[in-house]
Amino acid sequence: EHGWNDTYTFTKWIGEQVLLRDRGDVPLVIFRPAIIEGSFEEPLPGWIDGLRMADPIIVAYGQGKLNEFPAIADIVIDLIPVDFVANAMIATLPVGEGRSDRVAVYHCASSERNPFRLDAMKMALERAFRKRPMLDDRGRPIRPGRMRLVDRVAFMKRWQARQRRLAHVLRGMKALGM
């Protein structure tokens, strides 16, 4: 109703407003990165601290636990490596002494100049996990199949069917006293 897609973007806006209001004589830069993912190079390729944003989906695919995902194949997904974000943040630090009434706002993203579509990400993940597979509990390589990008309706139908089968199995186990 008020122009924000979700609570996350709304709370980021609130934080920026508080900074603008209460910063006093402190120089201020507003830095807005896209979805931060694993590093490109530093400290080593693919590094990230924890699993956030797209990482759990990527790891689930690499572990062979995810073979389809509800998505539109040609949608642009704006991911940015964590080391690019760190370097850009350093480059945007305010220069000079004291407060300036001007507040610079930087967007650290790639989709405008270098759009990355979800189907390209899917293909890159398939290649990456073929080349460097994750290992199972016994140290054997996991070879995930191709990931299917499916429309939301088809995904929900299959998900609900799985839930019904699971509920049926659980009812059977309960009836057997298990």
Side-chain angles (χ1 to χ4, degrees), residues 17-91:
Q17 299 310 302
V18 170
L19 287 171
L20 288 167
R21 184 190 72 201
D22 296 344
R23 70 188 179 120
D25 291 333
V26 176
L28 177 64
V29 168
I30 294 175
F31 186 82
R32 298 174 179 155
I35 300 168
I36 302 171
E37 287 299 336
S39 65
F40 181 74
E41 192 170 277
E42 296 293 329
L44 55 107
W47 175 88
I48 194 163
D49 184 23
L51 296 178
R52 296 169 183 83
M53 306 308 285
D55 298 313
I57 296 166
I58 293 168
V59 169
Y61 171 70
Q63 292 173 336
K65 297 176 181 175
L66 180 70
N67 59 3
E68 68 178 22
F69 188 74
I72 300 168
D74 63 349
I75 196 167
V76 173
I77 183 165
D78 208 338
L79 306 175
I80 191 90
V82 65
D83 48 340
F84 287 19
V85 173
N87 290 333
M89 286 176 71
I90 292 166

Side-chain angles (χ1 to χ4, degrees), residues 4 7-17 31-34:
W4 291 276
T7 305
Y8 177 71
T9 55
F10 177 60
T11 56
K12 287 192 331 183
W13 177 82
I14 289 173
E16 289 177 3
Q17 299 310 302
F31 186 82
R32 298 174 179 155

Side-chain angles (χ1 to χ4, degrees), residues 70-151:
I72 300 168
D74 63 349
I75 196 167
V76 173
I77 183 165
D78 208 338
L79 306 175
I80 191 90
V82 65
D83 48 340
F84 287 19
V85 173
N87 290 333
M89 286 176 71
I90 292 166
T92 63
L93 288 173
V95 179
E97 298 289 326
R99 177 184 169 145
S100 166
D101 288 334
R102 184 176 160 269
V103 174
V105 177
Y106 295 95
H107 295 264
C108 183
S110 64
S111 62
E112 182 67 27
R113 288 189 180 179
N114 188 21
F116 186 48
R117 290 184 168 55
L118 199 53
D119 56 349
M121 180 178 167
K122 175 186 97 69
M123 290 186 292
L125 288 173
E126 289 171 354
R127 281 192 310 272
F129 284 115
R130 274 195 305 272
K131 185 175 180 180
R132 289 180 298 283
M134 296 181 81
L135 303 177
D136 66 15
D137 293 339
R138 296 183 191 161
R140 296 177 301 194
I142 300 170
R143 304 285 180 199
R146 291 194 169 273
M147 183 189 294
R148 294 182 311 278
L149 300 177
V150 297
D151 69 78

